[in-house]
């Protein structure tokens, strides 16, 4: 890093004056962390113009560049679909003045952890193993976490390329039960990278999968990296965090990170547009499902007019064409198709006529004997309102008359007409069909909590619900209602039960995302018979954008039964599948890549 230089040519050669100069330089370093003082060790000469390729973009260490023009020239070399970051920029206003149309000041804070006073955390997480990156499967796991968190992914050839990676460390969090990578963090050793005389390091890309079951994964990853750099004898760890990421900032402050006066600059590109462009009016009031589409449209230069943010309504206009939408429901969906999808009984009849497998079903009509006979024939049933969305009023796995009556009462709070159908044991599969082709397939699983030996189930649900809300922009949470209590009662539990450490239980049987369920992409492995059935169902309803829900024994096997069709499927949470891109392709085919 470039250092502050005393005016030695005007100094006397006396030992006293040299001592004073040295002391002033030391004070300057404390006031301005990151500035080099004196010459680096001859055995560790500092490199210049350091740009580290990280797979998702480059880290440009600003103090290693001789002047702003050289740094700007490197920023201009940013590769397509990448996000380069110029870090440790001391005078961003000067750099910005040289290229105001090309770069912008990132709205992030820089934090530092002093490793000389850091004390390692002894507590080990149960159910999660923190380890180093080991193979290609780990690299794919990192990208899955990045995709789920909306981050730029690492290009496929990065880990297999011939590169010097001694300065870069990847730690992963692996779920012991599933083997899935659920968190990751990247560390850069500045001394090894460019001969940093201050022996510093930095932390990048801390990410925890939104559907990770265990709390505290992010904290443990940060601590592991800090301990790693401390063992190397490094002095500090720096990081950059968005100014409004309150949850992350609370974590860093809890771990004794403190703010320092460094800044981050980035190049103006499509990835960064939301940080430097004027936001759409009322944009912040949109939910995550509407924002996803609005962002994709804006990226393509399509005009967006938000007509009712709270309802999720917006109008897209381009080339003389205008389409009004409510999230993924557009004017391309006819009123007839909307009416069919909106009524679960009608949708079942329509798709059954197209040869789709459907479960046995009756409508509650006051005939008690028919209701009791249906329950006796099938053993367990699903009770749901004939109309409704977001999993409201649905009870799964009802097996007694008492529970059946309670479930019917709850369903009637959503719709006067109530349906009872045979329960098909298996997994809930959502297939997103756009323009009568599969775009994404995902298994939706019911909400679960893991005991810690101290907290009761009510507290565990509240904690998991907060995580689901944070991950979905407030769209998903676990209700504590009669259905939750019924599910717990069937397991001999209640809300006050304290679960043993490591014990995992299901707290609701419905897997709907809005009631706390989690979603797991299976697009690459879903059986072609399931894809064909979903596309036929969409054709039968004649609906261009739809979420077809099946119950399946295994998404890789052909067995299924149709559950319902959702005329306004949520396109978020299906990463890495390009749901929003395919939706905008349908509305404005001339704007698609290569179109």
């Amino acid at each position: 890093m470039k250092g502050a230089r005393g005016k030695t040519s005007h100094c006397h050669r006396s030992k006293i004056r040299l001592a004073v100069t040295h002391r002033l330089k030391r004070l300057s370093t404390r006031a301005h962390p990151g500035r080099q003082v004196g010459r680096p060790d001859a055995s560790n000469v500092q490199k210049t113009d350091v740009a580290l390729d990280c797979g998702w973009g480059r880290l440009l260490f600003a103090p290693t560049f001789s002047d702003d023009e050289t740094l700007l020239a490197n920023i201009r070399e940013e590769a397509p679909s990448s996000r380069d970051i110029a870090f440790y920029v001391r005078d961003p206003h000067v750099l910005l003045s040289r290229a105001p149309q090309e770069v912008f000041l990132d709205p992030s804070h820089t934090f530092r952890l002093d490793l000389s006073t850091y004390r390692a955390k002894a507590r080990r997480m149960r159910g999660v193993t923190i380890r180093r990156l080991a193979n290609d499967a780990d690299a794919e796991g990192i990208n899955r976490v990045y995709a789920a968190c909306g981050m730029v992914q690492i290009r496929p050839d990065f880990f297999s390329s011939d590169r010097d990676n001694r300065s870069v460390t990847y730690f992963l969090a692996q779920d012991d039960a599933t083997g899935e990578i659920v968190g990751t963090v990247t560390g850069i050793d500045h001394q090894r990278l460019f001969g940093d005389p201050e022996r510093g390091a930095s932390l990048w890309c801390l990410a925890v999968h939104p559907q990770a079951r265990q709390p505290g994964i992010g904290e443990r990853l940060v601590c592991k990296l800090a301990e790693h750099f401390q063992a190397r004898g490094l002095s500090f760890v720096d990081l950059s965090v968005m100014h409004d990421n309150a949850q992350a900032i609370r974590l860093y402050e809890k771990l004794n990170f403190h703010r320092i006066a460094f800044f981050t600059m980035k190049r103006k590109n499509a990835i960064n547009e939301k940080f430097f462009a004027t936001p759409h009016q009322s944009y912040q009031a949109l939910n995550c499902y509407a924002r996803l589409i609005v962002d994709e449209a804006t990226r393509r230069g399509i005009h967006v007019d938000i007509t009712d943010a709270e309802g999720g309504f917006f109008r897209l206009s381009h080339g003389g064409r205008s389409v009004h939408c409510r999230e993924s429901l557009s004017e391309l969906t006819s009123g007839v198709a909307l009416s069919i999808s909106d009524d679960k009984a009608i949708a079942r009849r329509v798709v059954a006529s197209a040869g789709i497998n459907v479960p046995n079903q009756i409508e509650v009509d006051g005939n008690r004997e028919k209701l009791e006979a249906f329950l006796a024939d099938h053993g367990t049933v699903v009770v749901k309102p004939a109309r409704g969305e977001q999993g409201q009023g649905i009870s799964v796995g009802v097996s007694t008359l008492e529970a059946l009556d309670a479930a019917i009462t709850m369903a009637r709070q959503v719709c006067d007409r109530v349906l009872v159908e045979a329960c098909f044991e298996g997994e809930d599969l959502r297939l997103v069909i756009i323009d009568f082709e599969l775009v994404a397939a995902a298994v939706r699983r019911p909400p679960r909590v893991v005991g810690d030996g101290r907290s009761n189930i009510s507290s565990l649900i509240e904690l998991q619900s907060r995580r689901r809300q944070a991950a979905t922009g407030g769209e998903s949470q676990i209700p504590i209602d009669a259905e939750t209590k019924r599910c717990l009662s069937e397991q001999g539990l209640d809300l006050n039960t304290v679960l043993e450490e490591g014990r995992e239980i299901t707290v609701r049987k419905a897997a709907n995302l809005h009631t706390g369920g989690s979603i797991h992409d299976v697009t690459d492995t879903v059986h072609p018979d399931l894809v064909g059935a979903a596309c036929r169902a969409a054709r039968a309803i004649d609906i261009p954008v739809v979420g077809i829900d099946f119950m399946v024994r295994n998404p890789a096997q052909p067995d299924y039964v149709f559950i319902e069709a959702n005329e306004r499927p949520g396109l978020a949470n299906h990463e890495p599948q390009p749901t929003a891109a395919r939706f905008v392709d349908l509305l404005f085919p001339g704007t698609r890549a290569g179109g």
Side-chain angles (χ1 to χ4, degrees):
M1 296 183 180
K2 193 173 181 181
R5 302 188 180 276
K7 298 180 181 180
T8 54
S9 59
H10 299 292
C11 297
H12 299 296
R13 295 184 177 277
S14 67
K15 292 183 179 180
I16 295 176
R17 189 61 180 269
L18 285 174
V20 171
T21 302
H22 177 68
R23 183 173 299 173
L24 288 173
K25 288 179 179 179
R26 289 189 63 186
L27 290 172
S28 175
T29 302
R30 291 173 184 171
H32 304 284
R35 181 174 293 178
Q36 175 184 338
V37 177
R39 290 184 294 176
D41 190 310
S43 63
N44 194 25
V45 177
Q46 185 177 349
K47 297 178 182 178
T48 59
D49 302 344
V50 176
L52 175 67
D53 183 7
C54 296
W56 41 259
R58 298 173 303 157
L59 284 173
L60 309 177
F61 289 87
T64 69
F65 287 82
S66 57
D67 53 56
D68 286 346
E69 289 304 324
T70 305
L71 178 57
L72 283 170
N74 271 264
I75 291 176
R76 293 185 181 106
E77 294 173 0
E78 181 181 66
S81 301
S82 296
R83 176 181 282 171
D84 288 357
I85 301 174
F87 194 45
Y88 290 129
V89 179
R90 181 171 300 284
D91 298 319
H93 54 295
V94 177
L95 189 65
L96 184 60
S97 71
R98 298 181 186 277
Q101 302 303 317
E102 297 179 85
V103 299
F104 70 98
L105 176 60
D106 192 51
S108 57
H109 297 319
T110 303
F111 280 80
R112 170 167 292 182
L113 176 67
D114 185 353
L115 294 179
S116 66
T117 58
Y118 175 75
R119 295 295 176 264
K121 306 291 183 180
R123 187 175 68 86
R124 180 185 180 278
M125 289 192 67
R126 289 186 177 271
V128 173
T129 297
I130 308 295
R131 61 174 178 81
R132 300 279 288 272
L133 180 142
N135 50 45
D136 290 343
D138 287 348
E140 293 173 1
I142 288 177
N143 266 346
R144 283 194 294 271
V145 173
Y146 285 175
C149 295
M151 298 164 61
V152 179
Q153 297 179 57
I154 297 173
R155 64 177 186 271
D157 66 327
F158 177 72
F159 287 107
S160 60
S161 61
D162 183 19
R163 59 191 176 84
D164 183 0
N165 60 2
R166 292 175 300 172
S167 60
V168 185
T169 300
Y170 298 91
F171 280 112
L172 311 176
Q174 183 173 28
D175 189 306
D176 295 340
T178 66
E180 295 180 351
I181 303 303
V182 294
T184 178
V185 69
T186 303
I188 311 296
D189 183 330
H190 299 174
Q191 186 184 29
R192 291 190 177 188
L193 179 63
F194 57 84
D196 180 9
E198 293 187 346
R199 303 176 66 83
S202 54
L203 178 156
W204 299 93
C205 300
L206 174 66
V208 178
H209 199 292
Q211 295 169 179
R213 299 173 302 138
Q214 299 85 351
I217 294 174
E219 179 178 348
R220 191 68 199 102
L221 283 166
V222 174
C223 292
K224 183 69 174 180
L225 188 65
E227 292 161 14
H228 169 74
F229 284 142
Q230 189 179 50
R232 282 189 177 183
L234 299 182
S235 300
F236 57 80
V237 180
D238 291 345
L239 59 86
S240 179
V241 59
M242 295 306 297
H243 73 99
D244 57 355
N245 191 346
Q247 186 175 4
I249 290 173
R250 281 197 300 270
L251 168 62
Y252 298 137
E253 290 178 339
K254 172 185 174 183
L255 297 175
N256 294 322
F257 281 80
H258 61 275
R259 285 273 301 277
I260 56 175
F262 286 113
F263 302 93
T264 300
M265 302 288 289
K266 294 177 182 175
R267 185 170 176 267
K268 291 183 177 180
N269 60 23
I271 296 173
N272 296 323
E273 187 171 10
K274 62 183 178 181
F275 298 121
F276 63 82
T278 302
H280 297 289
Q281 187 176 9
S282 303
Y283 176 84
Q284 295 299 327
L286 293 173
N287 63 26
C288 60
Y289 306 108
R291 284 187 186 182
L292 186 74
I293 298 169
V294 167
D295 288 345
E296 177 64 21
T298 301
R299 187 185 66 80
R300 299 189 189 198
I302 296 170
H303 177 74
V304 177
D305 179 21
I306 299 174
T307 53
D308 186 273
E310 291 184 8
F313 289 88
F314 51 88
R315 182 177 293 279
L316 305 180
S317 305
H318 185 268
R321 176 179 172 83
S322 177
V323 183
H324 207 183
C325 306
R326 184 185 186 190
E327 299 167 8
S328 65
L329 176 65
S330 76
E331 294 173 327
L332 275 63
T333 296
S334 70
V336 172
L338 178 63
S339 296
I340 292 171
S341 301
D342 184 53
D343 192 305
K344 296 176 176 63
I346 297 176
R348 175 183 173 277
R349 293 197 298 269
V350 168
V351 301
S353 67
I356 306 300
N357 298 332
V358 297
N360 290 333
Q361 183 187 92
I362 62 172
E363 185 168 336
V364 177
D365 58 4
N367 188 329
R368 184 70 177 180
E369 290 182 358
K370 184 174 70 172
L371 199 60
E372 292 178 1
F374 191 86
L375 179 61
D377 287 344
H378 297 287
T380 57
V381 297
V382 177
V383 179
K384 56 188 177 183
R387 301 179 64 184
E389 57 184 7
Q390 300 182 352
Q392 295 179 4
I394 296 178
S395 299
V396 179
V398 176
S399 58
T400 67
L401 287 173
E402 181 182 3
L404 180 60
D405 290 337
I408 291 171
T409 299
M410 186 172 72
R412 280 202 171 118
Q413 295 175 4
V414 178
C415 178
D416 290 339
R417 292 173 50 228
V418 176
L419 306 175
V420 180
E421 65 184 27
C423 187
F424 183 93
E425 293 294 334
E427 293 195 286
D428 185 325
L429 177 67
R430 161 63 62 89
L431 300 108
V432 177
I433 308 297
I434 299 178
D435 201 14
F436 306 106
E437 294 183 355
L438 177 73
V439 174
V443 169
R444 300 184 299 179
R445 295 181 177 135
R448 301 172 66 84
V449 298
V450 180
D452 59 8
R454 302 183 304 274
S455 306
N456 62 26
I457 293 176
S458 179
S459 298
L460 293 172
I461 289 175
E462 290 174 3
L463 175 62
Q464 184 74 338
S465 192
R466 286 197 297 271
R467 296 184 68 187
R468 299 296 300 131
Q469 283 183 295
T472 61
E475 291 296 311
S476 176
Q477 59 181 323
I478 306 172
I480 297 180
D481 56 15
E483 174 62 9
T484 305
K485 294 174 183 178
R486 183 183 69 82
C487 183
L488 294 175
S489 178
E490 290 180 354
Q491 302 171 75
L493 306 168
D494 61 38
L495 292 170
N496 294 318
T497 303
V498 175
L499 284 185
E500 311 92 279
E501 185 174 6
R503 182 182 176 186
E504 185 175 13
I505 63 164
T506 299
V507 296
R508 291 178 71 88
K509 292 187 178 180
N512 192 281
L513 195 66
H514 288 84
T515 53
S518 59
I519 189 166
H520 308 265
D521 181 71
V522 294
T523 307
D524 294 337
T525 58
V526 66
H527 196 280
D529 286 1
L530 303 180
V531 177
C535 291
R536 290 200 311 276
R539 289 280 185 189
I541 301 171
D542 194 20
I543 186 167
V545 179
V546 64
I548 299 294
D549 292 343
F550 290 159
M551 287 298 296
V552 300
R553 301 195 190 284
N554 186 314
Q557 298 175 0
D559 298 329
Y560 75 94
V561 294
F562 172 86
I563 301 301
E564 65 181 44
N566 190 316
E567 73 280 359
R568 182 163 51 100
L571 301 185
N573 307 304
H574 282 281
E575 297 83 0
Q577 308 310 326
T579 51
R582 296 293 83 81
F583 178 76
V584 178
D585 286 348
L586 172 69
L587 271 53
F588 301 94
T591 66
R592 73 176 69 197

